[in-house]
Amino acid sequence: MSKLLIGKLSDIDVRGSRTVRVKETEIALFRLEDGSVLAIENRCPHKGGLLSEGMVCGTVVHCPLHDWKVDLHSGLVKDPDDGCVTTFATEIDPDNGAIYVVI
Amino acid sequence: MTVPKKLVLIGNGMAGVRAIEHLLKLAPDTYEITIFGAEPHPNYNRIMLSTVLAGSTELKDIVINDWDWYKDNHITLHTNQTIKKIDTQRKVVISESGMEAPYDEVVIATGSKPFMLPIPGADKEGVIAFRDIQDCEKMFSAAKSYKKAAVIGAGLLGLEAARGLLNLGMEVTVIHKHPYIMERQLDEAASLMLRKELEAQGMKFLLSKHSASITGRGRVKELQFTDGSHLATDLIVMAVGIRPNVDLARSSGIDYNNGILVDDFMNTNMAHVSALGECVEHRGVAYGLVAPLYEQGAVLAKRLAGVETAGYAGSVTSTKLKVSGVDVFSAGRFIETEGSRALRIQDDMAGTYKKIVIRGGKLIGAVLFGDTADGASLFASIKSGESIEGREKELLLGISNDLLGKSGGSASRLENMPDDEIVCGCNGVTKGAIGDAVLNKGCHTFGELKACTKASASCGGCKADIEGLLHLFAGDAVGESAKEGICGCTSLSRDEIVEQIQSMRLMTIKEVMHVLDWNNKEGCSKCRPSLNYYLGMLFPEDYVDEKESRFTNERYHANIQKDGTYSVVPRIYGGVTTPADLIKIASVAEKFNVPLVKFTGGQRLDLFGVKKEDLPKMWEELEMASGHAYGKTLRTVKTCVGNTFCRFGTQDAMAMGIKMEKAFERLNAPAKFKLAVSGCPRNCAEATIKDLGVVAIDGAWEIHVGGNAGVKVRACDLLTTVKTEDEVMEWTGAYLQYYRETAQWNERTAHWIDRVGLDTVKKALEKQEDRLALVERVQKTLSLTTDPWKEIVDNDELRKNFEPIAGPLPV
């Protein structure tokens, strides 16, 4: 387990996303309306669609390729499909807005 | 900071509190709000009272806003407080117990009172109304000690009370002065069907009976009728109607008639005193249904919030009810009179009945019994006042003319289809999978089937087959589809949503979802883009497009491919380019190592396999708009060579195409649309399978519409023939705007025309003044569009979203 400094809150638009590569893994970071930042592996379990490019509704991201719905908290795919995406714990420093991801 | 004004709401019911909810969304900090309620409860759903009586729910289940809601919104709530007077001089309200509250604005929403028949003995113990929780409690306790109940009035409320009393184990007789029950909502045939059903459930009826007096010592014993007959009973529930509660207006010097008189903005005759709901009379009408009260609430909330609003103009109402488990619906003038004619269909076996009433080619009323699925669409037709000529049968039978005209055999085709045949091509769903879902997973409606198997969840081209298979496998077990809204987040249709957005001037996606009670407050990838479109279409000048509610392609202005790369299609107007532009495209393609360059179906060059981070740099170097080759907007205008070189060409197709593409590029629409211009009837640009195609003939231009070469091929219909290029532009602009204003989200012109009818489109565009009005609106919208690529190229804050975040640092 290691903790990585990814960037600052202002790097990501509200309801937007950015990606970061850590070794072989591409991680998608989503900044939600409530101020939280959630991180998941940037790959839909269906056909590998880039989840960072999907539409975020609440805490669910819709894969841009075939509209699979992935819960950003649990990484679980919603019905009627099923599958799972790796999630990563995040921390935000309230003082300077720095975003950390634990891998 | 300004001090908030004091707003007092008198009445803690559905109409008043709904207006407050709306106000809180529009102007959260403008008012310090105090609410007075005569009952001891927070705001509850009175319509659901019958379910409490029926024993299926408790009070807590029908509470709309619980105590916390008041607290969270900083609203002071006084329950058990009946206001007896508004002192408009001192601007305070005074309660019966002597409590006073000052106001800057006061709203009266005291609702209505049940009407009690003024007959001798009506004040005896055991004579009650059915209006609030307390009445329910009285019925519960009566059922414990007594056996016989009588309900006076066979309207909805009376029948619900009777059903509840049956559930409580009482013997129930319903007394009605009219020869048939629910005469305000149903015609005689439907009423008779309902009565049979209720009698089968154990209800007894005494019809054409007028109550004369109630006898008994202390408690009711007998109900006497004017014809001399009588009925022994231990409990009498009066459900003969409601009266606006005008007590407060009377004691405060506010004008009233049947109800408190209000204008279109819910003002009473007294300054700073408004009123709404069942207690008011607007243009001579007092409403007792919830929809009009909510409409009034929206107008009042806007006025109090200082938001510009059109006035309340009254409501056309419909009734959709469930009476003792039986669905009934009626709307408009459903009793035929001279000059109107009625079409009806009755199935006594299935227990269904449908009647539509037509006058002058328009639908003016309808009654449905047993199956009310068509209620909403019939009601929409009544309200719109559209012509239904030629579609009468379709409306009555609920099937389209297409299906009626189609030769049979679709059922046998589905029966003979092998199990492994794919029915839904998009999602690879086989007939066997549908059967499995129906037979083993309990999917008995189209919606359930779609959610479970994804069949028909993408392009929808297989919908008819999926529905056919559902019937094949489920037989009589096919469930009544819940009313399907635009997506799973709402049961509202496109037209209902657009109408509400307009009437309440809802200005953001969030506001729409809140005010229209989305059951998923965050929306989904279907409703968010559609609301974004509707709002932009309705308010082109005021609405700020929400890019987070657009699909990837429109957010990043390039076309996402299956491997996550993008493709770039430079705009080439009319498909006509220059050697210099070709060189530029080629060199950019080489520089960025574009792996594939392909001509598109619309005569453009597509550069595939572009990394997202390269997009802004490529656009910058290309210095061309990157054609909207993906959005729900004008794609391309395909052209043939026309009379410039072609020996058959009659007109300049290339110039016409370029002119059209320049005029309409960037125009958002419910779905993508493609245009084409052919220079002669040989039609080399294949213009008759486009959303709009122009075909030049000698000395004139034909305009063809509603074509599609996609999922379901449809050839165009000829809209009109015009003489000049200017007329081509005028008709095209008007047609596109009419489509923009009336189509459903994601509905291509081909489906749209099939749905609304070519004649409707022709009629809408027939008069030049109508065309010019549409053209003006489309021009307004076009004048506000900008080049999104240039915006991104010039703006670092937008550009950053195309780049990954630079390498992470360990800590």
Side-chain angles (χ1 to χ4, degrees):
Chain A
M1 293 283 269
S2 59
K3 188 165 149 184
L4 301 174
L5 172 64
I6 300 296
K8 48 191 190 306
L9 264 184
S10 59
D11 290 336
I12 314 177
D13 294 347
V14 178
R15 295 215 270 172
S17 73
R18 297 290 296 274
T19 60
V20 67
R21 183 168 281 278
V22 180
K23 288 184 194 138
E24 293 309 301
T25 313
E26 188 166 272
I27 298 174
L29 294 130
F30 298 86
R31 179 173 168 195
L32 304 186
E33 265 178 296
D34 64 5
S36 61
V37 171
L38 299 175
I40 62 172
E41 186 179 357
N42 194 17
R43 210 184 129 74
C44 179
H46 179 216
K47 299 211 164 161
L50 298 183
L51 297 171
S52 56
E53 316 298 283
M55 193 186 300
V56 178
C57 298
T59 58
V60 167
V61 63
H62 291 250
C63 175
L65 295 192
H66 305 99
D67 207 37
W68 278 36
K69 297 179 275 294
V70 178
D71 188 290
L72 292 172
H73 281 290
S74 64
L76 289 174
V77 173
K78 300 238 172 198
D79 283 343
D81 308 303
D82 63 313
C84 186
V85 182
T86 314
T87 58
F88 303 95
T90 53
E91 278 172 37
I92 297 165
D93 186 330
D95 293 331
N96 57 14
I99 304 170
Y100 301 93
V101 170
V102 182
I103 301 219
Chain B
M1 214 182 105
T2 51
V3 182
K5 288 195 278 186
K6 290 183 169 45
L7 175 69
V8 171
L9 170 67
I10 303 170
N12 190 26
M14 297 175 72
V17 176
R18 175 66 165 237
I20 298 291
E21 283 179 38
H22 204 133
L23 177 62
L24 286 171
K25 280 161 204 154
L26 296 172
D29 305 315
T30 314
Y31 293 98
E32 193 181 299
I33 301 170
T34 304
I35 301 181
F36 287 91
E39 289 186 63
H41 318 286
N43 171 249
Y44 65 88
N45 186 340
R46 207 177 288 282
I47 301 167
M48 303 284 286
L49 258 191
S50 55
T51 66
V52 174
L53 182 62
S56 52
T57 48
E58 293 174 47
L59 173 63
K60 68 171 168 47
D61 301 321
I62 64 166
V63 164
I64 302 173
N65 295 300
D66 59 16
W67 302 105
D68 285 344
W69 177 82
Y70 294 89
K71 215 188 296 160
D72 294 346
N73 289 291
H74 312 291
I75 295 170
T76 310
L77 172 65
H78 300 291
T79 52
N80 284 319
Q81 290 284 350
T82 306
I83 298 298
K84 66 167 188 196
K85 188 177 162 56
I86 302 172
D87 185 334
T88 49
Q89 295 290 316
R90 288 168 51 219
K91 287 179 110 178
V92 291
V93 306
I94 307 158
S95 83
E96 275 175 354
S97 64
M99 186 179 220
E100 292 199 358
Y103 68 82
D104 295 302
E105 291 286 338
V106 62
V107 177
I108 308 176
T110 46
S112 59
K113 292 202 280 198
F115 178 63
M116 300 301 275
L117 290 175
I119 53 176
D123 53 351
K124 285 193 189 303
E125 196 192 328
V127 182
I128 61 170
F130 180 32
R131 181 67 189 161
D132 56 29
I133 284 286
Q134 224 187 333
D135 296 324
C136 281
E137 282 160 2
K138 283 181 192 155
M139 288 189 232
F140 285 133
S141 82
K144 282 190 193 125
S145 334
Y146 301 99
K147 202 78 214 140
K148 295 193 178 84
V151 176
I152 304 178
L156 174 70
L157 207 59
L159 296 177
E160 285 190 334
R163 177 67 247 179
L165 292 166
L166 276 184
N167 285 3
L168 293 173
M170 296 188 86
E171 286 168 25
V172 185
T173 306
V174 179
I175 295 108
H176 201 44
K177 62 178 182 186
H178 205 269
Y180 64 86
I181 65 174
M182 280 190 79
E183 79 283 354
R184 304 257 304 267
Q185 290 86 11
L186 299 178
D187 67 345
E188 195 166 356
S191 169
L192 220 63
M193 291 175 84
L194 179 63
R195 197 180 98 204
K196 267 194 204 155
E197 173 64 35
L198 296 175
E199 281 172 344
Q201 294 181 13
M203 243 177 250
K204 296 195 191 89
F205 288 93
L206 289 175
L207 302 175
S208 302
K209 286 271 186 196
H210 297 263
S211 309
S213 64
I214 296 166
T215 58
R217 228 187 259 177
R219 191 176 179 93
V220 48
K221 197 97 185 144
E222 222 172 49
L223 178 58
Q224 313 271 355
F225 301 108
T226 50
D227 61 4
S229 62
H230 48 84
L231 174 78
T233 184
D234 307 309
L235 176 75
I236 295 178
V237 179
M238 288 202 193
V240 288
I242 52 171
R243 288 281 155 90
N245 185 357
V246 296
D247 294 354
L248 187 58
R250 189 184 295 129
S251 62
S252 309
I254 294 162
D255 286 350
Y256 65 94
N257 185 23
N258 279 324
I260 301 169
L261 295 170
V262 292
D263 66 9
D264 289 359
F265 295 89
M266 314 324 290
N267 290 301
T268 67
N269 64 314
M270 208 68 86
H272 305 293
V273 181
S274 320
L276 85 163
E278 288 184 340
C279 62
V280 308
E281 180 178 325
H282 171 261
R283 297 191 190 178
V285 184
Y287 294 95
L289 291 167
V290 74
L293 313 184
Y294 281 0
E295 284 174 43
Q296 294 174 354
V299 171
L300 177 63
K302 295 219 156 173
R303 180 166 64 72
L304 291 175
V307 177
E308 196 189 317
T309 174
Y312 173 66
S315 304
V316 183
T317 55
S318 71
T319 321
K320 187 174 178 185
L321 309 163
K322 211 176 187 75
V323 186
S324 286
V326 186
D327 289 313
V328 301
F329 169 90
S330 67
R333 285 163 284 165
F334 55 82
I335 306 286
E336 61 264 52
T337 52
E338 210 178 278
S340 68
R341 67 196 170 101
L343 301 176
R344 45 173 76 77
I345 180 168
Q346 182 166 359
D347 181 346
D348 280 329
M349 299 284 282
T352 57
Y353 170 78
K354 183 172 185 178
K355 173 165 96 168
I356 59 175
V357 184
I358 299 158
R359 179 195 285 267
K362 291 173 179 175
L363 187 66
I364 61 163
V367 178
L368 301 173
F369 182 89
D371 176 0
T372 55
D374 296 338
S377 61
L378 290 173
F379 187 44
S381 284
I382 294 171
K383 278 200 293 187
S384 75
E386 66 193 8
S387 166
I388 59 151
E389 264 168 316
R391 293 197 296 130
E392 294 91 340
K393 233 182 189 174
E394 182 184 331
L395 286 178
L396 184 68
L397 300 174
I399 354 176
S400 73
N401 275 335
D402 272 6
L403 283 173
L404 282 172
K406 221 185 206 173
S407 56
S410 117
S412 65
R413 177 176 64 79
L414 292 173
E415 257 172 62
N416 296 330
M417 182 188 281
D419 265 0
D420 59 356
E421 184 167 328
I422 288 178
V423 197
C424 170
C426 297
N427 297 303
V429 185
T430 60
K431 177 189 172 188
I434 302 277
D436 179 53
V438 176
L439 300 172
N440 304 322
K441 293 179 186 155
C443 299
H444 287 164
T445 66
F446 177 73
E448 286 166 3
L449 206 49
K450 187 162 93 174
C452 174
T453 63
K454 278 208 156 182
S456 195
S458 296
C459 82
C462 59
K463 188 172 182 210
D465 279 351
I466 303 295
E467 281 176 336
L469 285 173
L470 173 65
H471 282 268
L472 186 69
F473 285 114
D476 289 341
V478 170
E480 182 192 321
S481 268
K483 189 186 154 211
E484 254 195 277
I486 57 164
C487 69
C489 307
T490 176
S491 61
L492 295 173
S493 68
R494 179 262 180 210
D495 289 350
E496 289 168 324
I497 293 167
V498 169
E499 192 186 308
Q500 302 267 12
I501 291 175
Q502 273 178 305
S503 70
M504 302 191 219
R505 266 190 87 79
L506 305 174
M507 290 303 289
T508 66
I509 292 177
K510 226 176 197 158
E511 192 186 3
V512 175
M513 290 178 175
H514 275 282
V515 173
L516 302 185
D517 264 339
W518 245 237
N519 56 38
N520 173 10
K521 296 288 181 214
E522 310 288 350
C524 70
S525 58
K526 284 207 174 57
C527 57
R528 282 197 11 211
S530 37
L531 294 180
N532 190 48
Y533 170 74
Y534 297 142
L535 288 163
M537 178 269 288
L538 291 167
F539 311 119
E541 288 169 278
D542 301 324
Y543 179 66
V544 185
D545 191 85
E546 198 174 87
K547 71 176 186 348
E548 305 95 272
S549 293
R550 284 181 173 273
F551 182 62
T552 320
N553 287 351
E554 299 187 337
R555 225 162 348 117
Y556 297 115
H557 305 286
N559 196 15
I560 194 166
Q561 303 299 332
K562 63 188 242 183
D563 61 355
T565 62
Y566 283 82
S567 79
V568 170
V569 184
R571 173 79 68 202
I572 297 176
Y573 297 94
V576 179
T577 184
T578 61
D581 275 352
L582 283 175
I583 289 168
K584 192 178 262 171
I585 292 170
S587 60
V588 168
E590 256 187 350
K591 178 168 175 188
F592 288 92
N593 296 316
V594 166
L596 176 74
V597 180
K598 185 192 178 300
F599 286 98
T600 70
Q603 302 176 329
R604 305 297 185 272
L605 278 164
D606 201 344
L607 314 180
F608 278 93
V610 179
K611 291 201 258 335
K612 187 178 168 193
E613 54 264 40
D614 284 342
L615 288 170
K617 281 172 266 174
M618 275 181 67
W619 296 332
E620 199 169 12
E621 296 203 15
L622 275 169
E623 293 181 292
M624 295 179 207
S626 185
H628 290 84
Y630 31 79
K632 294 189 188 299
T633 167
L634 170 65
R635 295 283 174 95
T636 53
V637 183
K638 191 173 175 179
T639 60
C640 73
V641 76
N643 65 3
T644 322
F645 287 96
C646 173
R647 63 200 162 107
F648 299 113
T650 60
Q651 310 259 16
D652 190 348
M654 289 189 289
M656 188 74 242
I658 291 168
K659 189 170 176 178
M660 293 174 89
E661 186 160 345
K662 289 199 163 151
F664 299 111
E665 69 174 318
R666 300 201 284 257
L667 182 64
N668 280 324
K672 62 182 171 187
F673 63 94
K674 301 174 178 183
L675 311 184
V677 184
S678 282
C680 83
R682 284 171 188 74
N683 193 11
C684 293
E686 295 156 340
T688 48
I689 45 163
K690 294 289 183 284
D691 294 281
L692 181 141
V694 180
V695 177
I697 52 177
D698 204 11
W701 304 87
E702 290 175 351
I703 299 180
H704 299 260
V705 294
N708 183 18
V711 176
K712 188 177 165 222
V713 180
R714 183 187 192 277
C716 284
D717 294 306
L718 179 64
L719 178 66
T720 188
T721 303
V722 297
K723 291 261 185 286
T724 66
E725 284 190 16
D726 287 347
E727 285 173 292
V728 172
M729 297 304 286
E730 177 185 311
W731 278 84
T732 305
Y735 166 79
L736 289 176
Q737 181 64 9
Y738 186 62
Y739 164 61
R740 294 182 75 239
E741 291 178 5
T742 55
Q744 292 166 3
W745 173 246
N746 232 344
E747 186 177 40
R748 293 288 305 268
T749 59
H751 295 106
W752 167 72
I753 287 221
D754 276 344
R755 181 170 62 84
V756 303
L758 177 67
D759 287 343
T760 310
V761 178
K762 277 188 166 165
K763 212 162 179 184
L765 304 183
E766 182 179 63
K767 293 194 204 114
Q768 195 186 24
E769 58 189 275
D770 293 341
R771 290 199 301 277
L772 292 179
L774 285 159
V775 167
E776 195 185 318
R777 294 204 286 280
V778 81
Q779 289 303 346
K780 168 99 266 169
T781 302
L782 283 163
S783 72
L784 297 163
T785 63
T786 51
D787 180 347
W789 297 277
K790 205 169 157 1
E791 257 165 36
I792 292 164
V793 165
D794 295 344
N795 182 331
D796 287 342
E797 189 54 26
L798 294 174
R799 262 179 105 134
K800 77 165 195 287
N801 290 321
F802 288 81
E803 314 259 347
I805 294 181
L809 299 170
V811 279

